[in-house]
Structure formats: structure tokens, C-alpha cells
């Protein structure tokens, strides 16, 4: 735009405002990605949403709102007591409280809602939608978010299942010093630990003690290795889901119980608009699972959507975001080795990608696959930045499950 045009634009705007008219006609500051040439309904989400894709697709197919279709998918893991990374049965914080995070964006109305540290209500994504629809705010956290949800009639539930409670007790009783206290990997003084390997008998005493404690707590023999693994390597989880309908409308939502054994009040990327999820239906949507702290620092989902606005494909846009995370560690592979990050990306023209920091899914990590439904439901392999598997965080001896 020429300077003269810009100035005359301001003059028009001021005049319009002065005249008390509601709508200000400004040139659009954004670029658009063209719509699909062969319009169809598309959903992409994290692999743990696979079983619920039909429900979401059915909604899109019958003309329901794109956000309601995405919520139909993510409420599946939220309601599933056996998914210990989302909603009911999620692994708790260090005090044994299941704290949920979620955020969402509704493309057609360009609105957003979020909750952080929600407790006692399993459907964090639905409460995030209620924040969007029933308040003048975008985000509520902690006690306020929970009280708000209860006032709106969401049922109060104990989200800690027996399964999760016993794993938490095992963690608590082992009084792990490998928790989330102390400086993180981005502290300039951080050094990687010496590698530990070998049989159980070669492990530090507290690891060996866990085996006996798991039995004392009544954890079934077949679940014991899994529980110990989760104590030593706090698992992550989460689901993001983005939808696009035949009319070109889009929405996106992310929901999680966040990191196991986290410090109470910790919010990861999942409730942060622009990090855990972002949607601009002129361009596309993106969402994330993985190392929340790393993603917040690059505003991952927003970065990806802006990359697409400026012409990148979904895959290029996601890879650029992953490279920004690596760059934050000066590409130091001793540190990047501990970062697991996955982005789910859907562009307005129907192209999509799943991109992962690491190529292979290790035990306790997200699969390097993501789920798609565009009339045919399937799991697809993600593209990746580095070959191999991320190391589990925090650094500990590797145990077979
Ligand atoms: N990003 C989530 C968080 O940091 C965890 C995850 O995706 O697994 O809370």
C-alpha cells in the first residue's frame, strides 16, 4: 500500500468512527488461502482420537457446526477412564489432583475459549466452549474455572480413577526426586545426566524399591511395569482435533490432563490459544501434543497458521515450527533428544500434515501417526525432523515395559 493510500484510509476510518457508524471498512490485513476445489468434510486429530472419528465425521456430514464435530471427537478420550492423558482417569498433579487444560477456536465466528487447571469436571473442552459462549472472557483458570463449570451445570466428578490413584501413590511413595522441581533443560547450567543402563539389579536402589512398592499397593503384576514406567517417566498425552467442512468453515480444539505429577497450577501449551491450538478459517488450523513448555516458547500453532498464510504447505509450516524449537537449544542434540513434539495441521484448501520432532514412537510417547477422516477413516504416518526416538524425560534408566 502506498503511504498516501494508507493515510487516506485513516482519514476515512476516523470519519466513519466520528459519524458513529458501527462498521469500519478497513482493508483486510490478512491473506487468504483458496478454498477446496472439490469441497469435502475433513477431520484430523491425534491418534488417540481414532476411535471417535466416526462420531465427528457423522456430525460434519449432517451439517453440524465444525466445532461441535471436533468436540464429538475429543470428548471420546475425555470420557474414557482408560486414557490416562485426558479427562477422566488422567494422571494427576503432584498432590493427586487431576488438573485439565483445554482451548478451542471457532472459525466461523472467530471466537475462542480456554480453561486451565480445571478440576472435578471431565469435559474440559466443553467448559472451554462455555467460556467462549457464556462469558466476555477467553480463558478461566483453576478454582474460578471449576466454579464456573459447576455453576453452568457440568457434573462434579472425581476424575482420579483407582488405576490413576495407585500409579500416583506409587510415584508419591517413591518420593521421586526426578519431579518437575528444579531448573529445566533451558537453564544455561543444565547438563545431561550420565547414561544409566543395565538390568534391574544394576539400577539405583529407589528404582528397585519401586517394584516392591508396586506390589504392596496392590498394582496387578501385569500392570506393574507400566506403572513403574509412568512413575519414572511422567507420561504426556493430549488430543488435538481440527475440522473443515464443505463450506470452508473450520474449528480446532485441544484437551489434556497435561504432564503427570506436575506442580499444581502448571499450565502447558494445551490451554494457550496460539500454542496448543489455533484456527483462522481464512487459512487453516493447527494443534499440538508433546512438550508443552517448548511449544509455548514458539507459539507453535499460531506460528504454523501464519506460515501457511504466507504460502507454506502444512508440512513446511510444521517443520519450520519444529526447527524453531531446535533452534531454541542452538540445535544441541543432547537436549533436543528429550523433546517430543507433534503438530497436527489442516489447511483451508483441504491439504493436511502431521509432523513430529522424532521419527519413531518410543514407549510412553505419542505414536508417530495421526488420524484422518475425509470419508475414509485411517491412521497416517507423520513426517519428522529427526530420525529415531526421543529420550524419555526426565533422564532415567531405560526399563523395558
Ligand atoms: N502438551 C501437553 C502439556 O504440555 C502434554 C502432551 O501433549 O502430552 O501439557
Amino acid at each position: 500500500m502506498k503511504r498516501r493510500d494508507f493515510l487516506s484510509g485513516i482519514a476515512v476510518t476516523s470519519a466513519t468512527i466520528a459519524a458513529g457508524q458501527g462498521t469500519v471498512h478497513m482493508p483486510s490485513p490478512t491473506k487468504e488461502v483458496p478454498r477446496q476445489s472439490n469441497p469435502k468434510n475433513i477431520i484430523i486429530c491425534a491418534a488417540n482420537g481414532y476411535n471417535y472419528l466416526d462420531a465427528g465425521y457423522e456430525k460434519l456430514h449432517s451439517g453440524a457446526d465444525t466445532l461441535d464435530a471436533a468436540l464429538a471427537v475429543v470428548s471420546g478420550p475425555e470420557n474414557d477412564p482408560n486414557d490416562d492423558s485426558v479427562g477422566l482417569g488422567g494422571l494427576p498433579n503432584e498432590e493427586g489432583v487431576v488438573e485439565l487444560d483445554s482451548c478451542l477456536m471457532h472459525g466461523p465466528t472467530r471466537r475462542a475459549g480456554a480453561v486451565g487447571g480445571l478440576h472435578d469436571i471431565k469435559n474440559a473442552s466443553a467448559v472451554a466452549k462455555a467460556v467462549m459462549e457464556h462469558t466476555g472472557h477467553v480463558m478461566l483458570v483453576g478454582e474460578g474455572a471449576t466454579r464456573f463449570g459447576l455453576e453452568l451445570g457440568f457434573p462434579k466428578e472425581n476424575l482420579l480413577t483407582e488405576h490413576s490413584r495407585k500409579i500416583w501413590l506409587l510415584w508419591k511413595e517413591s518420593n521421586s526426586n526426578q519431579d518437575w522441581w528444579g531448573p529445566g533443560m533451558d537453564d544455561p547450567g543444565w547438563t545431561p545426566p550420565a547414561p544409566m543402563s543395565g538390568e534391574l539389579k544394576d539400577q539405583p536402589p529407589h528404582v528397585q524399591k519401586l517394584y516392591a512398592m508396586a506390589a504392596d499397593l496392590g498394582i496387578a503384576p501385569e500392570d506393574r511395569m507400566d506403572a513403574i514406567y509412568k512413575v519414572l517417566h511422567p507420561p504426556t498425552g493430549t488430543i488435538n482435533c481440527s475440522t473443515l467442512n464443505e463450506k470452508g468453515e473450520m474449528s480446532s480444539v485441544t484437551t489434556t490432563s497435561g504432564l503427570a505429577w506436575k506442580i499444581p497450577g502448571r499450565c502447558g501449551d494445551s490451554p494457550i490459544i496460539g500454542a496448543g491450538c489455533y484456527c483462522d478459517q481464512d487459512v487453516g488450523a493447527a494443534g499440538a501434543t508433546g512438550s508443552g513448555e517448548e511449544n509455548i516458547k514458539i507459539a507453535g500453532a499460531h506460528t504454523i497458521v501464519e506460515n501457511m498464510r504466507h504460502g507454506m504447505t502444512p508440512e513446511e509450516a510444521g517443520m519450520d515450527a519444529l526447527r524453531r524449537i531446535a533452534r531454541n537449544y542452538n540445535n544441541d542434540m543432547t537436549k533436543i533428544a528429550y523433546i517430543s513434539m507433534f503438530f497436527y495441521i489442516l489447511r483451508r484448501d483441504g491439504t493436511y500434515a502431521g509432523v513430529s520432532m522424532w521419527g519413531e514412537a518410543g514407549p510412553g510417547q505419542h505414536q508417530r501417526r495421526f488420524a484422518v477422516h475425509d470419508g475414509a477413516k485411517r491412521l497416517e504416518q507423520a513426517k519428522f525432523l529427526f530420525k529415531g526416538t526421543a529420550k524419555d524425560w526426565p533422564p532415567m534408566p531405560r526399563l523395558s515395559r
Side-chain angles (χ1 to χ4, degrees), residues 101 235-238 256-259 262 266-270 288-293 341 366:
D101 296 335
T236 54
T238 307
T256 190
S257 54
L259 292 178
K262 61 193 169 185
R266 176 264 186 193
C267 279
D269 56 334
S270 308
T289 60
S291 307
E293 279 73 8
M341 197 74 237
H366 297 289

Side-chain angles (χ1 to χ4, degrees), residues 1-13 27:
M1 187 188 291
K2 290 195 187 114
R3 185 165 177 272
R4 196 184 42 203
D5 295 346
F6 177 69
L7 290 175
S8 71
I10 289 178
V12 169
T13 303

Side-chain angles (χ1 to χ4, degrees), residues 132-394:
M132 179 183 87
E133 288 181 336
H134 297 287
T135 76
H137 305 310
V138 164
M139 185 176 198
L140 295 179
V141 300
E143 286 308 311
T146 305
R147 276 208 307 273
F148 168 79
L150 295 175
E151 279 161 12
L152 256 73
F154 285 93
K156 183 171 183 171
E157 280 177 75
N158 178 8
L159 304 182
L160 199 60
T161 54
E162 269 308 280
H163 171 79
S164 298
R165 191 180 65 83
K166 283 185 176 164
I167 302 176
W168 169 68
L169 272 183
L170 183 62
W171 174 79
K172 183 113 176 127
E173 287 191 16
S174 69
N175 201 11
S176 170
N177 59 357
Q178 305 296 325
D179 55 24
W180 298 107
W181 289 92
M185 198 166 62
D186 55 3
D187 183 273
W190 187 89
T191 50
M196 292 190 270
S197 59
E199 310 268 312
L200 176 61
K201 64 180 171 40
D202 304 322
Q203 303 302 334
H206 80 275
V207 177
Q208 298 193 33
K209 222 170 85 185
L210 277 167
Y211 284 82
M213 291 166 76
D216 282 353
L217 281 167
I219 296 178
E222 64 275 19
D223 294 337
R224 238 168 255 166
M225 280 311 295
D226 190 59
I228 290 164
Y229 198 91
K230 285 173 175 159
V231 167
L232 294 178
H233 303 291
T236 54
T238 307
I239 176 166
N240 164 257
C241 178
S242 293
T243 50
L244 168 66
N245 70 13
E246 291 170 350
K247 291 187 271 178
E249 294 169 339
M250 301 192 75
S251 289
S252 188
V253 56
T254 297
T255 179
T256 190
S257 54
L259 292 178
W261 336 131
K262 61 193 169 185
I263 296 173
R266 176 264 186 193
C267 279
D269 56 334
S270 308
I272 311 290
I273 305 281
C277 158
Y278 196 76
C279 173
D280 178 338
Q281 70 168 31
D282 294 347
V283 177
T289 60
S291 307
E293 279 73 8
E294 304 309 331
N295 187 30
I296 290 173
K297 288 184 279 186
I298 61 146
H302 183 262
T303 294
I304 290 170
V305 171
E306 290 309 299
N307 281 345
M308 294 195 291
R309 189 193 306 282
H310 296 296
M312 288 190 197
T313 63
E315 184 183 327
E316 289 165 349
M319 286 295 182
D320 174 72
L322 292 172
R323 279 192 206 98
R324 289 177 195 221
I325 292 175
R327 174 217 54 194
N328 283 354
Y329 289 100
N330 299 317
N331 299 315
D332 177 350
M333 295 310 286
T334 54
K335 295 184 177 180
I336 295 166
Y338 293 101
I339 299 175
S340 161
M341 197 74 237
F342 205 128
F343 292 114
Y344 311 84
I345 310 160
L346 178 57
R347 205 166 62 171
R348 187 196 196 205
D349 62 359
T351 54
Y352 60 84
V355 300
S356 166
M357 184 69 96
W358 290 94
E360 287 155 30
Q365 299 171 353
H366 297 289
Q367 289 190 314
R368 200 176 64 69
R369 294 190 299 175
F370 63 104
V372 184
H373 202 328
D374 56 5
K377 184 169 77 161
R378 57 195 181 270
L379 286 166
E380 289 195 19
Q381 297 292 316
K383 304 289 184 218
F384 54 88
L385 193 55
F386 301 115
K387 266 193 183 161
T389 310
K391 291 186 182 163
D392 287 310
W393 178 266

Side-chain angles (χ1 to χ4, degrees), residues 94-106:
E94 62 178 20
E95 291 175 358
V97 179
V98 181
E99 287 186 327
L100 306 180
D101 296 335
S102 175
C103 76
L104 48 82
M105 293 190 83
H106 184 238

